[in-house]
Coordinates of all heavy atoms in Angstrom, one line a residue:
M1 N 78.1 82.7 8.9 CA 77.8 81.7 7.9 C 78.1 80.4 8.4 O 79.0 80.2 9.2 CB 78.7 82.0 6.6 CG 78.6 80.9 5.6 SD 79.5 81.3 4.1 CE 78.4 80.7 2.9
E2 N 77.3 79.4 7.9 CA 77.4 78.0 8.3 C 77.8 77.2 7.0 O 77.1 77.3 6.1 CB 76.2 77.5 9.0 CG 76.3 76.1 9.5 CD 75.1 75.7 10.3 OE1 74.4 76.6 10.8 OE2 74.8 74.5 10.3
L3 N 78.9 76.4 7.1 CA 79.3 75.7 5.9 C 78.4 74.5 5.6 O 78.4 74.1 4.4 CB 80.8 75.2 6.1 CG 81.7 76.3 6.2 CD1 83.2 75.7 6.2 CD2 81.7 77.3 5.1
Q4 N 77.7 74.0 6.5 CA 76.8 72.9 6.2 C 75.6 73.1 7.2 O 75.7 73.3 8.4 CB 77.5 71.6 6.5 CG 76.6 70.4 6.2 CD 77.2 69.0 6.5 OE1 78.3 69.0 7.1 NE2 76.6 68.0 6.0
N5 N 74.4 72.8 6.6 CA 73.2 72.8 7.4 C 72.2 71.9 6.8 O 72.0 71.8 5.7 CB 72.6 74.3 7.4 CG 71.5 74.4 8.4 OD1 71.2 73.5 9.1 ND2 71.0 75.6 8.5
S6 N 71.7 71.0 7.7 CA 70.8 70.0 7.4 C 71.3 69.1 6.2 O 70.6 68.7 5.3 CB 69.5 70.6 6.9 OG 68.9 71.3 8.0
G7 N 72.6 68.8 6.3 CA 73.2 67.9 5.3 C 73.6 68.5 4.0 O 74.3 68.0 3.2
A8 N 73.2 69.8 3.7 CA 73.5 70.5 2.4 C 74.7 71.4 2.7 O 74.8 72.2 3.6 CB 72.4 71.3 1.9
C9 N 75.7 71.3 1.8 CA 77.0 72.1 1.9 C 76.8 73.3 1.1 O 76.1 73.3 0.0 CB 78.2 71.4 1.5 SG 78.6 69.9 2.5
V10 N 77.4 74.4 1.4 CA 77.5 75.6 0.5 C 78.4 75.2 -0.6 O 79.3 74.3 -0.5 CB 78.0 76.8 1.3 CG1 76.9 77.1 2.5 CG2 79.3 76.7 1.8
G11 N 78.4 76.0 -1.6 CA 79.3 75.8 -2.8 C 80.8 76.0 -2.3 O 81.1 76.7 -1.3
E12 N 81.7 75.6 -3.1 CA 83.1 75.7 -2.8 C 83.6 77.1 -2.7 O 84.3 77.5 -1.9 CB 84.0 74.9 -3.9 CG 85.5 75.0 -3.5 CD 86.3 74.2 -4.5 OE1 85.8 73.4 -5.3 OE2 87.5 74.4 -4.5
L13 N 83.1 78.0 -3.7 CA 83.5 79.3 -3.6 C 83.1 80.1 -2.4 O 83.8 80.8 -1.7 CB 82.9 80.1 -4.9 CG 83.3 81.6 -5.0 CD1 84.8 81.7 -4.9 CD2 82.7 82.2 -6.2
Q14 N 81.8 79.8 -2.0 CA 81.2 80.3 -0.7 C 82.0 79.9 0.5 O 82.3 80.7 1.4 CB 79.8 80.0 -0.6 CG 78.9 80.8 -1.5 CD 77.4 80.3 -1.3 OE1 77.1 79.2 -1.4 NE2 76.6 81.3 -0.9
A15 N 82.4 78.6 0.4 CA 83.2 78.0 1.6 C 84.5 78.7 1.7 O 85.0 79.1 2.8 CB 83.3 76.5 1.4
R16 N 85.2 78.8 0.5 CA 86.5 79.5 0.5 C 86.5 80.9 1.0 O 87.3 81.4 1.7 CB 87.2 79.4 -0.9 CG 87.6 78.0 -1.2 CD 88.2 78.0 -2.7 NE 88.5 76.7 -3.1 CZ 89.8 76.3 -3.2 NH1 90.8 77.1 -3.1 NH2 90.1 75.1 -3.6
L17 N 85.5 81.7 0.5 CA 85.3 83.1 0.9 C 85.0 83.1 2.4 O 85.6 83.9 3.2 CB 84.1 83.7 0.2 CG 84.4 84.0 -1.2 CD1 83.1 84.5 -1.9 CD2 85.4 85.1 -1.4
A18 N 84.2 82.3 3.0 CA 83.9 82.2 4.4 C 85.2 82.0 5.2 O 85.5 82.6 6.2 CB 82.8 81.2 4.7
V19 N 85.9 80.9 4.8 CA 87.2 80.6 5.5 C 88.1 81.7 5.4 O 88.8 82.1 6.5 CB 87.8 79.4 4.9 CG1 89.2 79.1 5.5 CG2 86.9 78.1 5.2
N20 N 88.4 82.4 4.3 CA 89.2 83.5 4.2 C 88.8 84.6 5.0 O 89.7 85.3 5.7 CB 89.4 83.9 2.7 CG 90.2 83.0 1.8 OD1 91.0 82.2 2.4 ND2 90.0 82.9 0.6
N21 N 87.5 84.9 5.0 CA 87.0 86.1 5.9 C 87.3 85.8 7.4 O 87.7 86.7 8.1 CB 85.6 86.3 5.6 CG 85.3 87.0 4.3 OD1 86.2 87.7 3.8 ND2 84.2 86.8 3.7
A22 N 87.1 84.5 7.7 CA 87.3 84.2 9.2 C 88.7 84.3 9.6 O 89.1 84.8 10.6 CB 86.8 82.7 9.5
I23 N 89.6 83.9 8.7 CA 91.1 84.0 9.0 C 91.5 85.4 9.0 O 92.2 85.9 10.0 CB 91.9 83.2 7.9 CG1 91.6 81.7 8.1 CG2 93.3 83.5 8.0 CD1 92.2 80.8 7.0
R24 N 91.1 86.2 8.1 CA 91.4 87.6 8.0 C 90.9 88.4 9.2 O 91.6 89.3 9.7 CB 90.9 88.2 6.7 CG 91.4 89.7 6.5 CD 90.9 90.3 5.2 NE 89.4 90.3 5.1 CZ 88.7 89.7 4.2 NH1 89.3 89.1 3.2 NH2 87.4 89.7 4.2
N25 N 89.7 88.1 9.6 CA 89.1 88.8 10.7 C 89.3 88.2 12.1 O 89.0 88.8 13.1 CB 87.5 88.9 10.5 CG 87.2 89.7 9.2 OD1 87.9 90.6 8.8 ND2 86.1 89.3 8.6
G26 N 90.0 87.1 12.1 CA 90.3 86.4 13.4 C 89.0 86.0 14.1 O 89.0 86.0 15.3
T27 N 88.0 85.6 13.3 CA 86.8 85.1 13.9 C 86.6 83.6 13.7 O 87.3 83.0 12.9 CB 85.6 85.9 13.3 OG1 85.6 85.6 11.9 CG2 85.7 87.3 13.6
R28 N 85.7 83.1 14.4 CA 85.4 81.7 14.2 C 84.4 81.4 13.1 O 83.6 82.4 12.8 CB 84.8 81.1 15.5 CG 85.8 81.0 16.6 CD 85.2 80.3 17.8 NE 86.3 80.0 18.8 CZ 87.0 78.8 18.8 NH1 86.7 77.9 18.0 NH2 87.9 78.7 19.8
L29 N 84.3 80.3 12.6 CA 83.4 79.9 11.5 C 82.6 78.7 11.9 O 83.2 77.7 12.3 CB 84.3 79.6 10.2 CG 83.4 79.2 9.0 CD1 82.6 80.4 8.5 CD2 84.4 78.8 7.9
K30 N 81.3 78.8 11.8 CA 80.4 77.7 12.2 C 80.5 76.7 11.0 O 80.2 77.0 9.9 CB 79.0 78.1 12.4 CG 78.1 77.1 13.0 CD 76.8 77.6 13.3 CE 75.9 76.6 13.9 NZ 74.6 77.1 14.3
L31 N 80.9 75.5 11.4 CA 81.1 74.4 10.3 C 79.8 73.7 10.0 O 79.3 73.6 8.9 CB 82.1 73.3 10.8 CG 83.5 73.9 11.0 CD1 84.4 72.7 11.4 CD2 84.1 74.4 9.6
T32 N 79.0 73.3 11.1 CA 77.8 72.6 10.8 C 77.0 72.6 12.1 O 77.4 73.0 13.2 CB 78.1 71.2 10.4 OG1 76.9 70.5 10.0 CG2 78.8 70.4 11.5
S33 N 75.8 72.1 12.0 CA 74.9 71.9 13.2 C 74.2 70.6 13.0 O 74.3 69.9 12.1 CB 73.9 73.1 13.3 OG 73.1 73.2 12.1
R34 N 73.4 70.3 14.1 CA 72.6 69.1 14.1 C 73.4 67.8 13.9 O 73.2 67.0 13.1 CB 71.6 69.1 13.0 CG 70.6 70.3 13.2 CD 69.6 70.3 12.1 NE 68.7 71.4 12.3 CZ 67.5 71.5 11.8 NH1 66.9 70.5 11.3 NH2 66.8 72.6 12.0
M35 N 74.5 67.7 14.8 CA 75.3 66.5 14.8 C 75.1 65.7 16.1 O 74.7 66.3 17.1 CB 76.8 66.9 14.8 CG 77.2 67.7 13.6 SD 79.0 68.1 13.6 CE 79.6 66.5 13.0
T36 N 75.3 64.5 16.0 CA 75.3 63.7 17.3 C 76.6 63.9 18.0 O 77.6 64.5 17.5 CB 75.2 62.2 17.0 OG1 76.3 61.8 16.3 CG2 73.9 61.9 16.1
W37 N 76.6 63.6 19.3 CA 77.8 63.7 20.1 C 79.0 63.0 19.5 O 80.1 63.5 19.4 CB 77.5 63.2 21.5 CG 78.7 63.3 22.4 CD1 79.3 62.3 23.0 CD2 79.4 64.5 22.8 NE1 80.4 62.7 23.7 CE2 80.5 64.0 23.6 CE3 79.3 65.9 22.6 CZ2 81.4 64.9 24.1 CZ3 80.2 66.7 23.1 CH2 81.2 66.3 23.9
S38 N 78.7 61.8 19.1 CA 79.9 60.9 18.5 C 80.4 61.5 17.2 O 81.6 61.5 16.9 CB 79.4 59.5 18.3 OG 78.4 59.4 17.4
Q39 N 79.5 62.2 16.4 CA 80.0 62.8 15.1 C 80.8 64.0 15.5 O 81.8 64.3 14.9 CB 78.7 63.2 14.3 CG 78.0 62.1 13.7 CD 76.7 62.5 13.0 OE1 76.0 63.4 13.5 NE2 76.4 61.9 11.9
A40 N 80.4 64.8 16.5 CA 81.1 66.0 16.9 C 82.5 65.6 17.4 O 83.5 66.3 17.2 CB 80.3 66.8 17.9
R41 N 82.5 64.6 18.2 CA 83.8 64.2 18.8 C 84.7 63.7 17.8 O 85.9 63.9 17.9 CB 83.6 63.1 19.9 CG 82.9 63.6 21.2 CD 83.6 64.8 21.8 NE 84.9 64.3 22.2 CZ 85.9 65.2 22.5 NH1 85.6 66.5 22.6 NH2 87.1 64.7 22.9
A42 N 84.2 63.0 16.8 CA 85.0 62.5 15.7 C 85.7 63.7 14.9 O 86.8 63.5 14.5 CB 84.2 61.7 14.7
M43 N 85.0 64.8 14.9 CA 85.6 65.9 14.2 C 86.9 66.5 14.9 O 87.8 67.1 14.3 CB 84.6 67.0 14.0 CG 83.6 66.7 12.9 SD 82.5 68.1 12.6 CE 83.7 69.1 11.7
C44 N 86.9 66.3 16.2 CA 88.1 66.7 16.9 C 89.3 66.0 16.6 O 90.4 66.4 16.9 CB 87.8 66.6 18.5 SG 86.5 67.6 19.1
G45 N 89.2 64.8 15.9 CA 90.4 64.1 15.5 C 91.0 64.5 14.2 O 92.0 64.0 13.8
I46 N 90.3 65.4 13.6 CA 90.7 65.9 12.3 C 91.9 66.9 12.4 O 91.9 67.8 13.2 CB 89.6 66.6 11.5 CG1 88.4 65.6 11.2 CG2 90.1 67.1 10.2 CD1 87.2 66.2 10.7
A47 N 93.0 66.6 11.6 CA 94.2 67.3 11.9 C 94.0 68.9 11.7 O 94.6 69.6 12.5 CB 95.3 66.9 10.9
W48 N 93.3 69.3 10.8 CA 93.0 70.8 10.5 C 92.2 71.4 11.5 O 92.1 72.6 11.6 CB 92.6 71.0 9.1 CG 91.3 70.4 8.6 CD1 91.3 69.2 8.0 CD2 90.0 70.8 8.9 NE1 89.9 68.9 7.8 CE2 89.2 69.8 8.3 CE3 89.5 71.9 9.6 CZ2 87.8 69.9 8.4 CZ3 88.1 72.0 9.7 CH2 87.3 71.0 9.1
A49 N 91.5 70.6 12.3 CA 90.5 71.2 13.3 C 91.2 71.3 14.6 O 90.7 70.8 15.6 CB 89.3 70.3 13.4
V50 N 92.3 72.1 14.7 CA 93.0 72.2 15.9 C 92.4 73.2 16.9 O 92.6 73.1 18.1 CB 94.5 72.7 15.6 CG1 95.2 71.7 14.8 CG2 94.4 74.1 14.9
D51 N 91.4 74.1 16.4 CA 90.8 75.0 17.3 C 89.3 74.8 17.2 O 88.6 75.8 17.0 CB 91.2 76.4 17.1 CG 90.8 77.4 18.1 OD1 90.5 76.9 19.3 OD2 90.7 78.6 17.8
L52 N 88.9 73.6 17.4 CA 87.4 73.3 17.2 C 86.7 73.5 18.5 O 87.2 72.9 19.6 CB 87.3 71.9 16.7 CG 86.0 71.5 16.2 CD1 85.6 72.1 14.9 CD2 86.0 70.0 16.0
A53 N 85.5 74.1 18.5 CA 84.7 74.2 19.7 C 83.4 73.5 19.4 O 82.8 73.7 18.4 CB 84.4 75.6 20.0
I54 N 83.0 72.7 20.3 CA 81.7 72.0 20.2 C 80.7 72.7 21.2 O 81.0 72.8 22.3 CB 81.8 70.5 20.6 CG1 82.8 69.8 19.7 CG2 80.4 69.8 20.4 CD1 83.2 68.4 20.1
C55 N 79.6 73.1 20.6 CA 78.6 73.8 21.4 C 77.2 73.1 21.3 O 76.9 72.5 20.3 CB 78.4 75.2 20.8 SG 79.9 76.2 20.7
Q56 N 76.5 73.2 22.4 CA 75.1 72.7 22.4 C 74.3 73.4 21.3 O 74.6 74.6 20.9 CB 74.5 73.1 23.8 CG 73.1 72.7 23.9 CD 72.5 73.2 25.2 OE1 73.3 73.5 26.1 NE2 71.2 73.2 25.3
E57 N 73.3 72.8 20.7 CA 72.5 73.4 19.6 C 72.0 74.8 20.1 O 71.5 74.9 21.3 CB 71.4 72.5 19.3 CG 70.6 72.8 18.1 CD 71.3 72.6 16.8 OE1 72.1 71.6 16.8 OE2 71.1 73.3 15.8
A58 N 72.0 75.7 19.2 CA 71.6 77.1 19.5 C 72.3 77.7 20.6 O 71.8 78.6 21.3 CB 70.0 77.1 19.8
C59 N 73.6 77.4 20.8 CA 74.4 77.9 21.9 C 75.7 78.4 21.3 O 76.3 77.6 20.5 CB 74.6 76.9 23.0 SG 75.6 77.3 24.3
G60 N 76.2 79.5 21.6 CA 77.4 80.0 21.1 C 78.5 80.0 22.2 O 78.2 79.5 23.3
L61 N 79.6 80.5 21.9 CA 80.7 80.5 23.0 C 80.5 81.5 24.0 O 80.8 81.3 25.2 CB 82.1 80.7 22.3 CG 82.5 79.7 21.3 CD1 83.9 80.0 20.7 CD2 82.6 78.3 21.9
E62 N 80.0 82.7 23.6 CA 79.8 83.8 24.5 C 78.6 83.5 25.4 O 77.6 83.2 24.9 CB 79.7 85.1 23.8 CG 81.0 85.5 23.1 CD 80.9 86.9 22.5 OE1 80.0 87.7 22.9 OE2 81.6 87.1 21.5
G63 N 78.8 83.7 26.7 CA 77.7 83.5 27.6 C 77.4 82.1 28.0 O 76.5 81.8 28.7
S64 N 78.2 81.2 27.5 CA 78.0 79.8 27.7 C 78.8 79.3 28.8 O 79.8 79.9 29.2 CB 78.3 78.9 26.5 OG 77.4 79.3 25.4
R65 N 78.5 78.1 29.4 CA 79.3 77.5 30.3 C 80.1 76.4 29.6 O 79.8 76.0 28.5 CB 78.4 76.8 31.4 CG 77.6 77.8 32.2 CD 76.8 77.1 33.2 NE 75.9 78.1 33.8 CZ 74.8 77.7 34.5 NH1 74.5 76.5 34.6 NH2 74.0 78.7 35.0
Y66 N 81.2 76.0 30.2 CA 82.1 75.0 29.6 C 82.4 73.8 30.5 O 82.6 74.0 31.7 CB 83.5 75.7 29.3 CG 84.4 74.9 28.6 CD1 84.2 74.6 27.3 CD2 85.5 74.3 29.2 CE1 85.1 73.8 26.5 CE2 86.5 73.6 28.5 CZ 86.3 73.3 27.2 OH 87.2 72.5 26.5
C67 N 82.1 72.6 30.0 CA 82.4 71.4 30.7 C 83.8 71.0 30.3 O 84.1 70.6 29.2 CB 81.4 70.3 30.3 SG 81.8 68.7 31.1
V68 N 84.7 71.0 31.3 CA 86.1 70.7 31.0 C 86.2 69.2 30.7 O 87.0 68.8 29.8 CB 87.0 71.0 32.3 CG1 88.4 70.5 32.1 CG2 87.0 72.5 32.5
R69 N 85.4 68.4 31.4 CA 85.4 66.9 31.2 C 85.2 66.5 29.7 O 85.8 65.7 29.1 CB 84.5 66.2 32.1 CG 84.5 64.8 32.0 CD 83.5 64.2 33.0 NE 83.4 62.7 32.8 CZ 82.4 62.0 33.1 NH1 81.4 62.6 33.8 NH2 82.3 60.8 32.9
H70 N 84.2 67.2 29.1 CA 83.7 66.9 27.8 C 84.1 67.9 26.7 O 83.9 67.7 25.5 CB 82.2 66.7 27.8 CG 81.8 65.5 28.6 ND1 81.2 65.7 29.7 CD2 81.9 64.2 28.3 CE1 80.9 64.5 30.2 NE2 81.4 63.5 29.3
Q71 N 84.8 69.0 27.2 CA 85.2 70.0 26.2 C 84.1 70.5 25.4 O 84.1 70.4 24.2 CB 86.4 69.5 25.4 CG 87.6 69.1 26.2 CD 88.7 68.5 25.4 OE1 88.4 68.0 24.3 NE2 89.9 68.5 25.9
Y72 N 83.0 71.0 26.1 CA 81.7 71.2 25.5 C 81.1 72.5 26.1 O 81.1 72.7 27.3 CB 80.8 69.9 25.8 CG 79.4 70.0 25.3 CD1 79.1 70.0 24.0 CD2 78.4 70.1 26.3 CE1 77.7 70.0 23.6 CE2 77.1 70.0 25.9 CZ 76.8 70.0 24.6 OH 75.5 70.0 24.1
Y73 N 80.6 73.3 25.2 CA 80.0 74.5 25.6 C 78.5 74.3 25.6 O 77.9 73.7 24.7 CB 80.3 75.7 24.6 CG 81.7 76.2 24.7 CD1 82.6 75.5 23.9 CD2 82.1 77.2 25.5 CE1 84.0 76.0 24.0 CE2 83.4 77.7 25.6 CZ 84.3 77.0 24.8 OH 85.6 77.5 24.8
Y74 N 77.8 74.7 26.7 CA 76.5 74.5 26.9 C 75.8 75.7 27.6 O 76.5 76.5 28.2 CB 76.2 73.2 27.7 CG 76.7 73.3 29.1 CD1 75.9 73.6 30.2 CD2 78.0 73.0 29.4 CE1 76.3 73.7 31.4 CE2 78.5 73.1 30.7 CZ 77.6 73.4 31.7 OH 78.1 73.5 33.0
S75 N 74.4 75.7 27.7 CA 73.7 76.7 28.5 C 72.6 76.1 29.1 O 72.3 74.9 28.9 CB 73.3 77.8 27.5 OG 72.4 77.3 26.5
G76 N 71.9 76.8 29.9 CA 70.7 76.3 30.6 C 71.0 75.8 32.0 O 72.2 75.7 32.4
C77 N 70.0 75.5 32.7 CA 70.2 75.2 34.2 C 70.3 73.7 34.4 O 70.6 73.3 35.5 CB 68.9 75.7 34.9 SG 67.4 74.9 34.4
A78 N 70.3 72.9 33.3 CA 70.4 71.4 33.5 C 71.9 71.0 33.5 O 72.1 69.8 33.7 CB 69.7 70.7 32.4
G79 N 72.8 71.9 33.3 CA 74.2 71.5 33.2 C 74.6 70.9 31.9 O 73.9 70.9 30.9
C80 N 75.8 70.3 31.9 CA 76.3 69.7 30.7 C 75.4 68.5 30.3 O 75.2 67.6 31.1 CB 77.8 69.2 30.9 SG 78.4 68.2 29.6
H81 N 74.9 68.5 29.1 CA 74.0 67.5 28.6 C 74.7 66.1 28.5 O 74.1 65.1 28.7 CB 73.4 67.8 27.2 CG 72.4 68.9 27.4 ND1 71.5 69.2 26.4 CD2 72.2 69.8 28.3 CE1 70.7 70.1 26.8 NE2 71.2 70.6 28.0
V82 N 76.0 66.1 28.3 CA 76.8 64.9 28.1 C 76.9 64.3 29.6 O 76.7 63.1 29.7 CB 78.1 65.1 27.5 CG1 78.8 63.8 27.3 CG2 77.9 65.7 26.1
C83 N 77.3 65.1 30.5 CA 77.4 64.6 31.9 C 76.1 64.0 32.4 O 76.1 63.0 33.1 CB 77.8 65.8 32.8 SG 79.6 66.2 32.7
S84 N 75.0 64.7 32.1 CA 73.6 64.3 32.5 C 73.1 63.1 31.8 O 72.1 62.5 32.1 CB 72.6 65.4 32.5 OG 72.4 65.8 31.2
G85 N 73.7 62.8 30.6 CA 73.2 61.7 29.8 C 72.1 62.1 28.8 O 71.5 61.2 28.2
F86 N 71.8 63.4 28.8 CA 70.7 63.8 27.9 C 71.3 64.3 26.6 O 71.4 65.5 26.4 CB 69.9 65.0 28.6 CG 68.8 65.5 27.9 CD1 67.6 64.7 27.8 CD2 68.7 66.7 27.3 CE1 66.5 65.1 27.1 CE2 67.6 67.2 26.6 CZ 66.5 66.4 26.5
Y87 N 71.6 63.4 25.7 CA 72.2 63.7 24.5 C 72.0 62.6 23.5 O 71.7 61.5 23.9 CB 73.7 64.1 24.6 CG 74.6 62.9 25.0 CD1 75.3 62.3 24.0 CD2 74.7 62.5 26.3 CE1 76.1 61.2 24.4 CE2 75.4 61.4 26.6 CZ 76.2 60.8 25.7 OH 77.0 59.7 26.0
E88 N 72.2 62.8 22.3 CA 72.1 61.7 21.2 C 73.5 61.2 21.0 O 74.4 62.0 20.4 CB 71.5 62.3 19.9 CG 71.3 61.2 18.9 CD 70.6 61.8 17.6 OE1 70.2 62.9 17.7 OE2 70.6 61.1 16.6
P89 N 73.8 60.0 21.4 CA 75.1 59.4 21.2 C 75.6 59.5 19.8 O 76.5 59.8 19.3 CB 75.1 58.0 21.7 CG 73.7 57.9 22.4 CD 72.8 59.0 21.9
Ligands
LIG1 ZN1 80.2 67.2 30.7

């Protein structure tokens, strides 16, 4: 489940259920997609987001590469999109 997609948030009850399920199952929860790099980096400063992972669009943690410099999961042969400059600031 994704808590926000294309600017629309799920209802509070659905969000609480998703968070509780993720905590109980020890799994990750997708917060949102379609963010700019600066928006994603700003989320890293949020106190409750202590275990936040930023992934390239349509890319998950498994099978992805990780850029230590940008703390960013990516895939593909072009390397980290932030390192290459191919991203939306
Ligand atoms: Zn990078």
Side-chain angles (χ1 to χ4, degrees):
M1 171 178 220
E2 184 173 334
L3 294 186
Q4 179 181 14
N5 191 356
S6 301
C9 295
V10 300
E12 183 178 345
L13 179 58
Q14 287 179 300
R16 287 176 183 252
L17 285 170
V19 169
N20 286 339
N21 285 335
I23 292 170
R24 184 179 59 239
N25 298 328
T27 57
R28 289 185 174 267
L29 180 64
K30 186 173 185 178
L31 296 178
T32 188
S33 59
R34 300 181 183 206
M35 301 180 81
T36 64
W37 175 246
S38 58
Q39 289 170 327
R41 292 302 302 164
M43 288 188 71
C44 293
I46 298 172
W48 55 263
V50 293
D51 190 21
L52 189 69
I54 302 173
C55 304
Q56 176 186 345
E57 188 76 30
C59 177
L61 298 181
E62 293 185 23
S64 298
R65 297 179 189 163
Y66 184 71
C67 175
V68 174
R69 180 177 173 204
H70 294 108
Q71 301 172 338
Y72 176 67
Y73 291 88
Y74 65 94
S75 62
C77 60
C80 171
H81 287 200
V82 183
C83 284
S84 69
F86 185 70
Y87 67 100
E88 186 177 347

